[in-house]
Amino acid sequence: AATDLNLTLGLGLLAFVAIQYFGVRAHGVSYFTRFINTPALANVAKRPMGAMDFVVGLLEIISEVAKIISFGFRLFGNLFAGGVLLFVMSFLVSMLVPAGVYVLELFVGLIQAFVFAMLLLVFSAIAMEGHGDHGDEH
């Protein structure tokens, strides 16, 4: 099932929703100032770099969308390649070599699940961490 792009992108979208949930839970609605940083624009006269902070926030939106694609395609690519390898090996050589590849693919699948979980953990921790001047509130 994991060799279908719909499932892996769905898992990536689910991970994205979880990351946003943890960010909002840790910072409240002010979490979204990380993306649309209107407080930085309010002080542009005093702090000209506030405009740059606003643009960086917009780049963070692109980064969040890229996480969905990154999660989905990383998982899909590795598992799909393993399935293709098993398919080709089973037609080229006897039954003994593909059995070894099955064990290797099981290991690769476990590593991919671990990488997916660790990335979700790291991205969630980053979302819950204070950002900019707003980190002192909590």
Side-chain angles (χ1 to χ4, degrees):
T3 58
D4 183 16
L5 186 57
N6 292 320
L7 176 71
T8 58
L9 284 176
L11 287 173
L13 186 61
L14 188 63
F16 169 78
V17 169
I19 291 166
Q20 300 309 312
Y21 169 76
F22 290 130
V24 170
R25 187 170 165 208
H27 298 285
V29 180
S30 68
Y31 171 73
F32 294 111
T33 61
R34 176 181 186 173
F35 307 111
I36 302 174
N37 196 350
T38 53
L41 286 178
N43 295 329
V44 170
K46 292 184 208 173
R47 254 184 80 215
M49 290 304 288
M52 183 64 77
D53 290 341
F54 181 77
V55 172
V56 168
L58 296 178
L59 290 175
E60 283 287 327
I61 294 172
I62 296 170
S63 169
E64 292 296 310
V65 172
K67 285 178 189 175
I68 300 170
I69 296 167
S70 171
F71 271 132
F73 279 105
R74 177 182 295 117
L75 190 60
F76 172 74
N78 285 309
L79 296 178
F80 183 74
V84 169
L85 177 68
L86 286 172
F87 183 75
V88 170
M89 292 294 282
S90 65
F91 281 106
L92 293 179
V93 293
S94 68
M95 203 58 183
L96 187 60
V97 174
V101 176
Y102 273 111
V103 171
L104 182 64
E105 279 305 307
L106 179 64
F107 180 68
V108 168
L110 290 172
I111 292 297
Q112 286 305 310
F114 178 73
V115 167
F116 193 92
M118 291 308 294
L119 284 173
L120 178 59
L121 178 69
V122 167
F123 289 148
S124 296
I126 290 171
M128 291 186 290
E129 185 178 287
H131 52 275
D133 298 331
H134 306 291
D136 299 332
E137 295 173 4
H138 299 281

